[in-house]
């Protein structure tokens, strides 16, 4: 739930996560500008509804973009209306459960595209239209999600194959 950038609105996350988030922010600040490329990933569908977060993200990009050759923002992967692993188990017991892809992940990616377009060296890496995600949460009949928005080990391998040429 933490995005380790300056002025991240930690008050939105659980109080038990504040110290760890602040430590991550400090660590990221200490490591900035030591590479040519910066990659940013987050649970965007959760973060972007916050105006304070969007302001912090834009300020962060405005500050760091002149000092990087490339900044890549990883798009939000499709999110589902329920836990897909639980749905899979119920379906295997002939107790079908409906589970749909939520639009909020795609809306978050649209917002990220708008944000990234303000900076010449910031790119949104959005692979959600790749064939791997066409029948998500399944690919070739195999489940590649753990819950409503997190991919499992198979999903990680598939995702790596999809993005490696772009990175």
């Amino acid at each position: 739930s933490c995005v380790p950038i300056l002025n991240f609105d930690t008050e939105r996350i659980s109080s038990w996560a504040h110290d760890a988030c602040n430590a991550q922010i400090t660590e990221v600040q200490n490591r900035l500008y030591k590479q040519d490329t910066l990659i940013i990933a987050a649970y965007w569908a959760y973060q972007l509804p916050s105006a304070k977060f969007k302001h912090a993200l834009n300020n962060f990009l405005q500050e760091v973009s002149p000092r990087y050759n490339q900044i890549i923002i990883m798009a939000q992967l499709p999110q589902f209306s329920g836990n897909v692993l639980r749905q899979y188990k119920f379906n295997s017991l002939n107790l079908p459960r409906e589970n749909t892809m939520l639009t909020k992940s795609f809306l978050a990616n649209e917002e990220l595209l708008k944000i990234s377009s303000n900076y010449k060296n910031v790119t949104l890496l959005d692979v959600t239209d790749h064939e791997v995600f066409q029948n998500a949460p399944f690919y070739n009949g195999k489940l590649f999600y753990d819950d409503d928005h997190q991919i499992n080990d198979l999903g990680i391998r598939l995702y790596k194959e999809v993005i490696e040429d772009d990175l």
Side-chain angles (χ1 to χ4, degrees):
S1 59
C2 177
V3 180
I5 60 174
L6 279 181
N7 300 314
F8 174 73
D9 48 339
T10 55
E11 65 273 4
R12 283 188 309 114
I13 62 175
S14 300
S15 59
W16 57 263
H18 289 184
D19 290 343
C21 184
N22 288 325
Q24 289 175 36
I25 292 168
T26 300
E27 187 62 29
V28 166
Q29 286 300 118
N30 291 336
R31 292 175 185 238
L32 279 177
Y33 314 122
K34 294 182 179 176
Q35 297 81 25
D36 293 331
T37 301
L38 177 65
I39 299 173
I40 306 171
Y43 180 11
W44 300 114
Y46 174 74
Q47 302 298 344
L48 288 172
S50 165
K52 189 173 180 183
F53 173 77
K54 275 196 277 195
H55 183 71
L57 178 61
N58 274 303
N59 285 346
F60 177 77
L61 291 171
Q62 188 171 4
E63 177 190 329
V64 302
S65 65
R67 298 181 64 187
Y68 279 95
N69 292 335
Q70 183 178 27
I71 298 173
I72 300 169
I73 298 177
M74 305 301 287
Q76 172 85 38
L77 295 181
Q79 185 172 357
F80 296 89
S81 59
N83 184 312
V84 297
L85 184 56
R86 188 173 298 131
Q87 172 200 8
Y88 178 74
K89 289 177 181 180
F90 275 107
N91 289 349
S92 68
L93 295 170
N94 285 329
L95 300 168
R97 295 290 186 264
E98 186 80 22
N99 203 350
T100 58
M101 210 176 277
L102 298 176
T103 58
K104 69 181 183 175
S105 56
F106 299 101
L107 294 174
N109 290 340
E110 288 176 13
E111 183 72 25
L112 289 170
L113 186 59
K114 289 178 195 170
I115 291 169
S116 64
S117 69
N118 293 321
Y119 307 91
K120 66 178 179 167
N121 60 336
V122 177
T123 304
L124 176 66
L125 180 52
D126 185 356
V127 296
T128 57
D129 61 351
H130 190 276
E131 69 174 296
V132 166
F133 295 100
Q134 295 311 302
N135 293 310
F138 295 94
Y139 181 68
N140 288 338
K142 295 185 178 166
L143 184 66
F144 70 98
Y145 271 73
D146 266 339
D147 57 22
D148 66 329
H149 70 281
Q150 296 178 348
I151 53 179
N152 61 22
D153 290 344
L154 173 61
I156 291 167
R157 286 192 298 278
L158 292 169
Y159 187 57
K160 176 191 171 286
E161 290 172 15
V162 170
I163 67 170
E164 68 185 344
D165 289 339
D166 293 312
L167 294 179

